[in-house]
Amino acid sequence: MSSFLKRSACAENVLFASLFILFCLIGLERGGGKISSVFEPLLGIFAIFLLVRGRASSVRVDPFLLIAFLAYGIYYMVRWSAWGGPIDASVDMFRPVMQAFLFVALIAWGVASAKLKSGSLLVFVLAGAAVASASILTFYFVQGHEFSIRIRPLGEARHPIIGMYYYAFPLLLGCVLLLEKGQVMRGRAILLVCIVVLLAVFLLSRSRGPFMGLLVTAMAAAFFASHGWRRWAIPVVVFGAAIAFLLAQDEAWLARLDTGRFLIWESVLVRLPEALWFGHGLTDENYVYFSDVYGWQHAHNIWLGHFYWGGAVGVFLLAAVYMRAAWVFCRANSWPVSAVGLLLICFGLAAMLTDGNLLLDYPGPEWMVFVLPVGLALGLSASHEVSGKAWPHSVDA
């Protein structure tokens, strides 16, 4: 019995391992239902353990962010337009939202209960780089595709655009850890290799939204983390590098900068006044436009998509969640978690301007830019490390 009690005191390690398994499954396994069959029992049993042990009652999170996220999830389900249809369709809507609630709660408890160190977070960077390497080797060397073809990575990150949301988490985390003071030379070398591999996936995806997300995030981070002339010089250099990259591309790549986005957005804007406040309701894929070339399409913009299915209320709830989470990260005195969370929000909002859609689907890449930052923010708000000082902390000058 004493050994069991001793092991239960390390519940944070069990949760950390469970979340790491989930992260790897998203990167390697295809099918949200398959991932959920492992995710639900694993973290569900752990949640019951916390309730039985009474350890969850000690967590007091930011009430505004909690209410905003719960309201968003409930409204997400309420606007589901097929509740009166087949039961399977309703379960497929209800189940992912409940999983997101559970995930956020456990992330918040884990962050509030354990001081996350850089060494423990490094495993996510290593895992992300390993999954990226496996995807590159499989797609180009095993399957025999040419490098001129857009990569379709393994697992739930198989979409060349949405999949980059998954790789953004280890990439941004690796960059944050690289900037940390006291990092040994071997650690920096490992991080650099991982960052190069992860950047390679972004380049091979040939996706505009993720590129824009990285560009905006890099410029914002450089601006707020630098001082004096560097505050302006570094963003200019980053922007110049992005322009040079665009000029180096061929006409076929540059022709993809539109691919019907403006036509889709125009069709959405025309229909918004029909259901201004509460939207047209949510469907499985949230399709809004049919293209003779690409078939049925969703809004391809996170704000227009929410305006279409949720109206002004849906847009307000999404903005409330992101704004409150960003506020918590900005005021939190907890490096590197606060920095990673803020960068994920910045990347997600920029990248989803050209391809954002549903955010509470089965565990997948979208969780990395919405559900994960919310969980991290709630955990930081409960760890009593929110102060009047903004990050960055422990960054090399």
Side-chain angles (χ1 to χ4, degrees):
M1 178 63 71
S2 60
S3 61
F4 169 78
L5 293 176
K6 184 176 181 180
R7 287 195 298 270
S8 67
C10 299
E12 295 88 348
N13 296 332
V14 177
L15 176 61
F16 186 87
S18 301
L19 297 175
F20 178 74
I21 293 173
L22 175 63
F23 176 76
C24 294
L25 282 175
I26 293 175
L28 296 173
E29 181 60 70
R30 292 191 179 182
K34 296 179 181 179
I35 297 174
S36 297
S37 65
V38 176
F39 168 71
E40 285 177 328
L42 191 65
L43 296 187
I45 293 174
F46 187 82
I48 294 174
F49 166 79
L50 293 182
L51 292 175
V52 172
R53 299 285 297 175
R55 302 185 64 176
S57 61
S58 60
V59 177
R60 296 291 184 270
V61 299
D62 181 83
F64 299 103
L65 179 56
L66 178 61
I67 292 173
F69 181 68
L70 290 176
Y72 175 85
I74 293 171
Y75 188 72
Y76 189 93
M77 291 187 292
V78 168
R79 297 304 296 143
W80 175 239
S81 60
W83 282 114
I87 186 65
D88 290 344
S90 298
V91 170
D92 284 339
M93 169 56 65
F94 178 79
R95 188 180 175 192
V97 177
M98 292 300 102
Q99 290 175 357
F101 285 170
L102 174 61
F103 181 81
V104 165
L106 293 177
I107 284 284
W109 180 85
V111 172
S113 302
K115 178 70 174 179
L116 295 178
K117 302 296 184 181
S118 300
S120 59
L121 294 175
L122 177 61
V123 299
F124 287 96
V125 182
L126 296 174
V131 173
S133 300
S135 295
I136 294 174
L137 292 174
T138 300
F139 190 79
Y140 292 108
F141 296 97
V142 177
Q143 298 178 3
H145 295 99
E146 297 183 357
F147 279 95
S148 59
I149 299 177
R150 302 175 72 187
I151 189 173
R152 291 191 173 272
L154 300 172
E156 281 296 287
R158 64 187 180 274
H159 194 285
I161 302 176
I162 305 300
M164 296 307 104
Y165 303 168
Y166 171 82
Y167 292 105
F169 169 55
L171 175 59
L172 296 177
L173 176 59
C175 292
V176 169
L177 296 180
L178 186 66
L179 295 174
E180 198 169 33
K181 284 184 177 180
Q183 191 71 252
V184 298
M185 186 63 65
R186 185 174 65 176
R188 291 186 185 275
I190 293 174
L191 285 170
L192 281 173
V193 171
C194 293
I195 290 172
V196 169
V197 172
L198 292 166
L199 280 175
V201 173
F202 273 81
L203 293 175
L204 293 171
S205 74
R206 302 174 183 269
S207 300
R208 300 139 301 183
F211 282 158
M212 183 170 64
L214 287 181
L215 175 63
V216 172
T217 303
M219 294 178 65
F223 179 82
F224 288 106
S226 304
H227 301 281
W229 62 270
R230 294 184 182 88
R231 169 163 286 188
W232 303 101
I234 296 179
V236 170
V237 171
V238 173
F239 183 76
I243 296 298
F245 172 79
L246 290 175
L247 294 176
Q249 303 306 307
D250 54 26
E251 294 183 2
W253 192 92
L254 293 176
R256 296 187 56 258
L257 292 179
D258 178 13
T259 59
R261 293 295 197 275
F262 295 111
L263 291 175
I264 297 173
W265 295 340
E266 181 183 4
S267 66
V268 175
L269 289 171
V270 169
R271 296 194 60 187
L272 290 183
E274 299 174 6
L276 186 62
W277 291 105
F278 301 104
H280 294 271
L282 197 59
T283 59
D284 186 31
E285 297 291 342
N286 210 32
Y287 290 141
V288 299
Y289 177 79
F290 182 80
S291 167
D292 294 333
V293 178
Y294 301 102
W296 282 103
Q297 299 291 311
H298 58 79
H300 284 80
N301 179 285
I302 192 63
W303 300 108
L304 284 179
H306 276 67
F307 219 135
Y308 181 84
W309 69 256
V313 175
V315 171
F316 171 78
L317 291 174
L318 178 64
V321 174
Y322 269 128
M323 291 176 63
R324 189 63 183 183
W327 183 89
V328 172
F329 287 132
C330 287
R331 314 305 291 184
N333 184 21
S334 181
W335 180 277
V337 177
S338 55
V340 173
L342 198 57
L343 293 179
L344 283 174
I345 290 178
C346 183
F347 169 84
L349 289 178
M352 290 188 293
L353 287 177
T354 59
D355 209 306
N357 192 21
L358 305 180
L359 295 176
L360 294 183
D361 205 343
Y362 281 107
E366 296 89 345
W367 280 29
M368 301 299 162
V369 294
F370 183 63
V371 181
L372 176 61
V374 171
L376 294 176
L378 285 173
L380 289 181
S381 70
S383 64
H384 307 295
E385 293 187 358
V386 177
S387 65
K389 297 181 179 180
W391 70 281
H393 302 279
S394 303
V395 183
D396 287 332

